[in-house]
Amino acid sequence: MALLLDAIQISILELLRTPIPEQSTVLVQMQPNKCFSILEPNEDLECLKTRKIPPAQWLEAMEKAFGQAWFDGAKSIIDFSVVGSRLPLWTLTYWKEISLVFRKKALWNNAHRWLARMGQEGNLYCLEETDQARHAMGALCWGAPFHAIGGGTGPEALLPLLSDAEWLDDDIINLSMRMLSERAQLIPELSTSTLIAPLLFSTNLQAASEGKLLPHLDRYTSFFKSGQRKILYFPAHVNNNHWVAFRIDFKRHTLEYGDSLMSAPKPTKVIQAALDWLKKNFDVPFHNNGPVLPHGIQLDQNSCGLCVVNTISHNLFGDELFTHGKRKLFRINLFTELANTQSSYGIAPKSSSSRSSDDYQSLSVRDLLAKHDHNYVVASSTTASDSGSDSRGADPISTPQIETSECSEIDGGWQTDETTDLTLPPCSSASPSPYPGLSDDEMEIDDNDDFTCRVPPPQKNRISSNVSNKRKRSDSAAGSQERQNISSRTSNKQISGSDSSISSVFGPTGISKSAISERKLKAEMKAGTLQIDDRKRAKYEETCLLSDPKARFRYEESWLAWHSRCGKWYKQKLPYDTSRFSDHVHKCTVKGPRVTLLGDYFSKPKSVSTAAVQTRKKNDETKGTAKENNSHHVPAKAVCLGITGANASRLPTYIDRTGAEGGGSRSLSIISEEHYDRPYSTLNEEEKLIIGSVTLEATNMVQTLMKSPSEFLIVIRETRKDEKERRKERDLSVLQTSHEYQSNASSTI
Amino acid sequence: MADNEGQSQQTQDIKPQDEQSQDTAPINVKVVSSTGDEVFFKIKRNTKLSKLQGAYATKVGKDVASIRFLYDGARINDDDTPQSLDMEDNDTIDVMVEQVGGSAMSSYQYSRKS
């Protein structure tokens, strides 16, 4: 049991396999305050394995009564289910924790049963999908937070998908939008034309129509005004009970939506809010085309969430349209896709772990065994209340790991022109923003062609005059950092501008082959006459993709590679040269669900810069503290599922071919040497046939192993006997030969 | 939500101002609901934002699990602090309530159907 509570990282399937005591539902008549005893406990941990967990209401009442009982000198808990049994006080904490595990297990058990039913009740069409969903469940840790959602939410947020009629909530819709956005980013045409917004957009849209000013909507406005993307998809929550997908086409100036429920009233509020926003911020009038966005039809009262995701994916990627008959299949598929987003994050930093998981680790039974202290129970049971805040506040805070040297390396970072389609151009510095929530750094980035706009303006556009000293320092530090970058860039340009100056300053020009070809490439690049070798380029892309499978490439005046984790473009030193990008990927410390894709959740450009500056500042001041912070980033354990057919469709074929004839079998010439002491080529047809049968025997052995292992063992034993006899004969012959040689030698002497 | 958040422009002191060091210096954080109502909090830079979330949920009378707190568009984790998020004075935290959807039927229609 101790292992169970410790192992919050075990997979859901493993949790389902682990036996846990059931929670009782009996009505306990004993008053909670009478369940404490001043006598010493007479039971230990072992007895808890076989006893049921008390009912949840009784546990809550006991929790409330515990404080006073402890003051009264209580030393044990009277177990109402067993006469004369007194349990240690920490059993209360154990019951609380194990009942949480029990509840989560029950939830997943229901989902697992539902999946099994889907695969059994004649629904053979979704057998493969249920297997994939079960596979995804095996990859999810039941107790770990779901990083793709954030906010300490666990994987149970996906449970509504594994049921017949559960409504989908905003977590699932937001996560789906994020998944679609990531998918669209991998398609070059869509990544430069389409944006998929999360629910926050439509919420802000409706608030803005009521006269509220919200900074996020302002960001979208300035982004679409710059004309970088032409199409915007977004989901909206309508009438407090319905999901609808919308599309705004900024090229054709149209607003369209797809409502899966035909009988539903028009989503007039959202339409009006969107039209108001467009009318206010864009000069061209937009036309409402109505429900013309191709969409599936729901015939039930609970599939609109699925339909919203499907409508967007159908219009973007041409996915199969939702049909009522396949609604369960769509649910299973969406669960699998969303669950896989968690595994795509790989190792997660501990900083994003939820409070519950931390508490879980601290409240393991092993710890309880180590600390037979009543105070321990008090401290742990009040972690959620205010009393624990001071100690929690004093805990070392894990800050995002951002490499300090990265700041100077960012020549393709968010300040440069190359990132225009990936990071959001914030409000213009010329127009003062009324939102104090927006950072100055974001304000400073303006039109990317204007270089001077990157330098922080002397006057800040903040409403609050009470700007902290620290802020000013960070601003000045950021400013100086940018100036440094600018100066370094200009100096680089000067150096690369003339090769003769390089040779005069840095000594004689290299005459090695590589140096010559490097210079040639540089010159061709500069002159714009570089003819790209497809083979070399493929190799270059392959090498970069090894470092970052989601990397993207641009072949312009200089070659650029995009790192998906930190969302920045990196300029390569030379064509076909991957060293800069690979170096960055190895050094990049941006981890976890750092979102760089426009459209789902806007990444904070300012956090990259200011955090980097702050981290550097901290490192300069107290390196020890930084190390201490870093030491708290313990990578979470991930469940290894091994390689299966789900990873690659041809994998089973490869596995089947492993024991194929020919590859790895013994050489015919060696066998012929063993049998006839002659090379294979000198054998006649009959002898060759015999040698062939020997190789066939070996093949048959493998086949026997596959059919019946017992027979195979017999064959192996016989073969080993034969080999032993052969070896004996060989040794004897060797001995005889050596004797003959010795006798000959002695005779010659 | 709007009923409970009607009292805008209110300030709550989460923690007494006992230390004035750089790290623990309190900052003002504005929590803005989806309806645009604002609640101000004064919070130390190293205090976990989970405490602010709890205080806000209590104030508006909602379960904290049903409210989503977002800073710069991203969900705030329970372990996050103003320091870890690089928050500055007068920064804004957006609040969204839990939304679920399945159909657009009104409650009257739904009750008739069932």
Side-chain angles (χ1 to χ4, degrees):
Chain A
M1 201 62 68
L3 280 175
L4 172 70
L5 284 176
D6 270 346
I8 61 162
Q9 302 289 356
I10 64 170
S11 73
I12 291 161
L13 291 184
E14 214 168 323
L15 174 73
L16 295 181
R17 281 195 293 267
T18 311
I20 294 175
E22 284 182 13
Q23 187 154 30
S24 170
T25 52
V26 296
L27 188 65
V28 184
Q29 297 292 341
M30 277 177 80
Q31 291 295 320
N33 54 359
K34 290 179 182 171
C35 288
F36 292 97
S37 167
I38 54 167
L39 298 175
E40 292 287 339
N42 59 1
E43 300 269 17
D44 60 358
L45 179 71
E46 288 303 313
C47 69
L48 293 175
K49 281 184 182 175
T50 52
R51 292 188 193 175
K52 282 190 174 181
I53 309 164
Q57 294 88 345
W58 186 78
L59 283 176
E60 278 177 27
M62 285 289 284
E63 186 73 26
K64 283 178 189 167
F66 171 76
Q68 186 55 49
W70 188 55
F71 281 134
D72 295 342
K75 287 179 182 171
S76 59
I77 296 170
I78 300 166
D79 190 355
F80 62 87
S81 60
V82 180
V83 180
S85 171
R86 292 191 304 276
L87 298 164
L89 284 180
W90 47 257
T91 312
L92 195 55
T93 311
Y94 163 77
W95 276 334
K96 267 177 62 190
E97 295 301 309
I98 202 72
S99 58
L100 178 69
V101 182
F102 175 79
R103 279 200 299 276
K104 287 203 175 184
K105 188 185 171 184
L107 289 172
W108 283 111
N109 228 341
N110 287 340
H112 193 254
R113 274 185 209 143
W114 183 83
L115 267 182
R117 208 167 61 237
M118 286 302 106
Q120 284 174 357
E121 289 177 353
N123 301 320
L124 290 177
Y125 67 91
C126 61
L127 198 60
E128 192 182 339
E129 282 76 11
T130 51
D131 281 348
Q132 285 173 1
R134 216 172 283 119
H135 190 264
M137 279 167 77
L140 281 177
C141 299
W142 71 274
F146 203 84
H147 297 298
I149 295 177
T153 315
E156 55 274 8
L158 302 181
L159 278 171
L161 288 167
L162 297 182
S163 62
D164 282 331
E166 283 280 321
W167 286 13
L168 305 192
D169 65 359
D170 53 335
D171 276 339
I172 292 177
I173 299 294
N174 266 334
L175 185 57
S176 305
M177 293 304 120
R178 183 178 185 151
M179 181 198 69
L180 291 176
S181 186
E182 283 180 3
R183 203 174 146 194
Q185 280 293 320
L186 297 175
I187 300 170
E189 301 85 52
L190 294 178
S191 67
T192 51
S193 65
T194 308
L195 182 72
I196 304 166
L199 278 170
L200 186 64
F201 175 76
S202 60
T203 312
N204 283 0
L205 209 61
Q206 293 178 59
S209 71
E210 292 165 7
K212 306 283 183 345
L213 295 174
L214 296 160
H216 282 289
L217 195 61
D218 205 44
R219 291 184 183 189
Y220 280 97
T221 309
S222 56
F223 177 69
F224 281 104
K225 270 184 177 175
S226 67
Q228 292 175 40
R229 307 274 171 109
K230 300 294 177 196
I231 295 169
L232 168 68
Y233 284 94
F234 66 93
H237 193 232
V238 176
N239 202 22
N240 280 333
N241 59 5
H242 188 47
W243 298 111
V244 180
F246 284 83
R247 176 170 71 183
I248 299 176
D249 194 330
F250 288 88
K251 199 175 177 183
R252 292 187 294 159
H253 308 112
T254 54
L255 170 72
E256 296 162 353
Y257 67 94
D259 193 341
S260 55
L261 198 68
M262 299 305 279
S263 60
K266 269 187 181 179
T268 45
K269 204 176 170 187
V270 183
I271 293 171
Q272 197 52 48
L275 289 175
D276 286 350
W277 173 65
L278 293 167
K279 187 180 176 184
K280 187 181 171 188
N281 296 292
F282 300 89
D283 299 332
V284 192
F286 279 71
H287 181 65
N288 175 23
N289 283 351
V292 295
L293 200 62
H295 61 274
I297 305 291
Q298 65 172 114
L299 300 177
D300 55 8
Q301 302 300 321
N302 43 51
S303 295
C304 65
L306 293 171
C307 289
V308 161
V309 181
N310 177 256
T311 303
I312 297 177
S313 69
H314 171 77
N315 285 283
L316 276 178
F317 314 112
D319 287 359
E320 184 190 354
L321 213 54
F322 175 88
T323 51
H324 181 70
K326 288 188 176 179
R327 62 192 185 285
K328 288 174 186 172
L329 190 67
F330 275 92
R331 276 181 180 262
I332 297 170
N333 280 340
L334 188 59
F335 169 81
T336 311
E337 286 173 11
L338 296 183
N340 287 338
T341 56
Q342 169 81 337
S343 54
S344 70
Y345 280 113
I347 296 169
K350 193 169 179 285
S351 60
S352 54
S353 65
S354 71
R355 177 174 52 186
S356 61
S357 66
D358 282 353
D359 288 351
Y360 231 90
Q361 284 167 336
S362 66
L363 292 169
S364 68
V365 173
R366 197 167 57 189
D367 286 346
L368 292 171
L369 286 171
K371 300 176 185 177
H372 283 258
D373 184 4
H374 307 306
N375 291 327
Y376 175 74
V377 181
V378 177
S380 61
S381 62
T382 54
T383 45
S385 66
D386 288 348
S387 60
S389 63
D390 289 327
S391 61
R392 290 164 69 87
D395 284 345
I397 298 145
S398 47
T399 51
Q401 287 187 348
I402 294 169
E403 197 171 41
T404 51
S405 61
E406 192 190 342
C407 219
S408 58
E409 279 179 11
I410 303 171
D411 62 347
W414 58 273
Q415 296 100 331
T416 61
D417 302 348
E418 290 79 10
T419 58
T420 50
D421 65 333
L422 288 161
T423 53
L424 187 68
C427 311
S428 165
S429 59
S431 60
S433 166
Y435 313 116
L438 278 175
S439 71
D440 293 335
D441 287 345
E442 291 165 342
M443 302 287 186
E444 285 148 21
I445 310 170
D446 200 3
D447 187 2
N448 293 292
D449 297 324
D450 190 354
F451 205 68
T452 55
C453 286
R454 292 171 192 141
V455 182
Q459 292 294 326
K460 302 296 176 192
N461 297 324
R462 296 170 76 92
I463 283 178
S464 167
S465 58
N466 184 23
V467 179
S468 65
N469 291 331
K470 188 176 176 184
R471 178 69 185 172
K472 283 175 187 168
R473 275 206 300 277
S474 67
D475 284 343
S476 62
S480 64
Q481 178 64 36
E482 287 190 16
R483 280 192 290 278
Q484 272 185 358
N485 284 346
I486 292 162
S487 63
S488 66
R489 263 178 257 153
T490 48
S491 62
N492 281 339
K493 278 178 188 171
Q494 282 166 4
I495 288 169
S496 60
S498 60
D499 287 346
S500 60
S501 65
I502 296 172
S503 60
S504 62
V505 176
F506 298 106
T509 314
I511 53 165
S512 66
K513 260 189 178 179
S514 60
I516 291 166
S517 66
E518 202 173 293
R519 274 201 302 278
K520 192 183 164 191
L521 274 175
K522 265 187 187 173
E524 283 179 355
M525 197 76 162
K526 199 181 165 189
T529 56
L530 176 73
Q531 288 190 345
I532 298 171
D533 184 347
D534 286 342
R535 192 178 55 82
K536 279 187 178 178
R537 190 176 70 170
K539 184 82 190 295
Y540 158 79
E541 286 186 359
E542 194 183 323
T543 316
C544 288
L545 288 171
L546 276 178
S547 310
D548 179 9
K550 289 183 180 176
R552 288 172 56 206
F553 308 97
R554 278 188 181 182
Y555 304 99
E556 295 168 357
E557 283 185 6
S558 52
W559 285 23
L560 302 165
W562 182 69
H563 186 207
S564 66
R565 182 69 76 179
C566 61
K568 291 168 195 157
W569 287 95
Y570 286 87
K571 192 161 46 172
Q572 304 288 17
K573 194 178 165 190
L574 283 171
Y576 317 117
D577 184 9
T578 61
S579 55
R580 271 193 192 172
F581 181 72
S582 307
D583 284 352
H584 165 74
V585 173
H586 288 127
K587 285 177 185 171
C588 185
T589 50
V590 179
K591 288 178 181 175
R594 185 159 198 84
V595 183
T596 54
L597 304 174
L598 241 185
D600 37 24
Y601 304 95
F602 285 127
S603 62
K604 321 185 281 177
K606 72 122 188 180
S607 68
V608 175
S609 63
T610 51
V613 170
Q614 281 191 355
T615 318
R616 192 183 57 168
K617 199 163 62 184
K618 276 176 201 166
N619 282 353
D620 290 343
E621 288 170 4
T622 52
K623 283 188 178 177
T625 320
K627 278 178 188 170
E628 195 181 330
N629 286 342
N630 290 343
S631 68
H632 288 281
H633 285 271
V634 182
K637 287 175 192 171
V639 182
C640 175
L641 301 169
I643 302 171
T644 63
N647 300 100
S649 59
R650 294 187 62 79
L651 210 60
T653 318
Y654 296 148
I655 292 168
D656 285 345
R657 283 181 185 170
T658 313
E661 301 103 280
S665 65
R666 298 186 71 203
S667 165
L668 291 174
S669 58
I670 289 174
I671 299 169
S672 73
E673 289 280 353
E674 279 180 5
H675 281 257
Y676 301 105
D677 292 332
R678 277 187 290 147
Y680 182 75
S681 54
T682 58
L683 301 182
N684 58 31
E685 287 301 316
E686 198 176 321
E687 287 166 341
K688 277 183 181 175
L689 275 174
I690 293 168
I691 296 297
S693 67
V694 173
T695 52
L696 272 174
E697 265 178 37
T699 316
N700 290 338
M701 276 168 65
V702 177
Q703 286 171 356
T704 315
L705 169 68
M706 305 303 286
K707 286 172 188 171
S708 60
S710 56
E711 284 178 24
F712 175 72
L713 282 175
I714 293 163
V715 174
I716 284 283
R717 276 172 203 150
E718 284 174 0
T719 324
R720 280 182 182 168
K721 273 181 191 173
D722 291 348
E723 276 185 10
K724 276 180 185 174
E725 284 169 7
R726 271 186 224 151
R727 274 181 200 162
K728 275 181 187 174
E729 285 174 10
R730 220 180 288 161
D731 292 344
L732 279 172
S733 63
V734 168
L735 274 172
Q736 282 173 357
T737 336
S738 62
H739 279 304
E740 283 172 11
Y741 177 75
Q742 279 176 359
S743 60
N744 288 340
S746 60
S747 64
T748 48
I749 289 166
Chain B
M1 184 108 190
D3 304 336
N4 296 314
E5 290 172 7
Q7 318 92 339
S8 61
Q9 305 288 329
Q10 294 186 20
T11 304
Q12 287 197 342
D13 285 328
I14 280 186
K15 201 174 269 190
Q17 195 171 336
D18 51 359
E19 293 174 27
Q20 287 298 329
S21 65
Q22 187 67 31
D23 287 344
T24 56
I27 58 165
N28 292 307
V29 177
K30 185 167 67 174
V31 181
V32 184
S33 74
S34 53
T35 53
D37 298 320
E38 298 174 350
V39 180
F40 287 84
F41 288 91
K42 187 181 268 187
I43 186 168
K44 280 184 188 174
R45 290 182 59 78
N46 61 357
T47 302
K48 288 189 181 179
L49 286 168
S50 56
K51 201 171 177 193
L52 180 146
Q53 295 176 14
Y56 181 82
T58 312
K59 181 166 181 55
V60 299
K62 298 260 180 188
D63 180 15
V64 72
S66 69
I67 306 176
R68 284 84 166 99
F69 293 88
L70 302 115
Y71 178 64
D72 239 349
R75 282 281 288 272
I76 294 175
N77 290 316
D78 292 334
D79 277 354
D80 285 335
T81 63
Q83 199 172 32
S84 69
L85 293 176
D86 297 323
M87 287 175 75
E88 301 296 336
D89 205 16
N90 292 325
D91 266 3
T92 306
I93 289 176
D94 297 307
V95 169
M96 283 182 70
V97 286
E98 185 183 28
Q99 297 170 327
V100 287
S103 75
M105 276 186 138
S106 66
S107 54
Y108 171 71
Q109 283 175 305
Y110 193 75
S111 60
R112 278 189 67 188
K113 182 125 185 161
S114 58

